[in-house]
Amino acid sequence: MYNNYGASYQEQRLQQMMEQKQLKDFMRMYSNLVSRCFEDCVTDFTSNMLSDKELTCVNRCTQKNMKLNERIGQRFAEENAKLMEDQAKMGR
């Protein structure tokens, strides 16, 4: 019984660590996105509002980077699936 409890605790702890890492990764991606789009798009600091040009640039930059990250995630999932499939074939 102790071993099952210990394994369960370890699984929960591992799950928590993975969730924390995912959150950190997401926050890093978000921070990089904000920095990149701000640096590329915001040029007029005489107003507290974005100009139409800046707003359009920020929207395009955000969409482009979100699509890029989505595609990277898809490729990672595809490669991971291939790796798992190859490992399963080798284990037979």
Side-chain angles (χ1 to χ4, degrees):
M1 175 143 178
Y2 177 75
N3 288 339
N4 288 341
Y5 175 76
S8 177
Y9 175 78
Q10 287 178 343
E11 289 171 3
Q12 288 176 352
R13 185 69 183 128
L14 180 60
Q15 181 68 27
Q16 287 174 339
M17 289 170 52
M18 289 173 51
E19 289 172 3
Q20 288 174 347
K21 182 175 180 351
Q22 287 175 339
L23 180 59
K24 275 185 178 180
D25 290 345
F26 173 79
M27 294 304 293
R28 186 178 310 114
M29 179 192 75
Y30 179 77
S31 178
N32 289 339
L33 171 69
V34 170
S35 294
R36 176 177 293 138
C37 293
F38 181 85
E39 290 172 8
D40 289 351
C41 297
V42 179
T43 57
D44 182 10
F45 297 97
T46 61
S47 171
N48 63 352
M49 301 289 290
L50 293 174
S51 69
D52 289 341
K53 181 180 175 184
E54 290 170 329
L55 187 57
T56 299
C57 180
V58 167
N59 286 335
R60 285 184 181 154
C61 179
T62 302
Q63 288 174 359
K64 180 180 176 181
N65 281 286
M66 293 302 288
K67 286 179 183 178
L68 173 65
N69 283 316
E70 182 180 336
R71 182 64 186 134
I72 289 170
Q74 288 172 342
R75 282 295 289 152
F76 179 77
E78 290 168 5
E79 291 299 317
N80 193 40
K82 273 188 202 177
L83 179 63
M84 298 297 280
E85 186 178 306
D86 289 347
Q87 286 178 347
K89 286 179 185 177
M90 294 174 96
R92 289 182 191 174

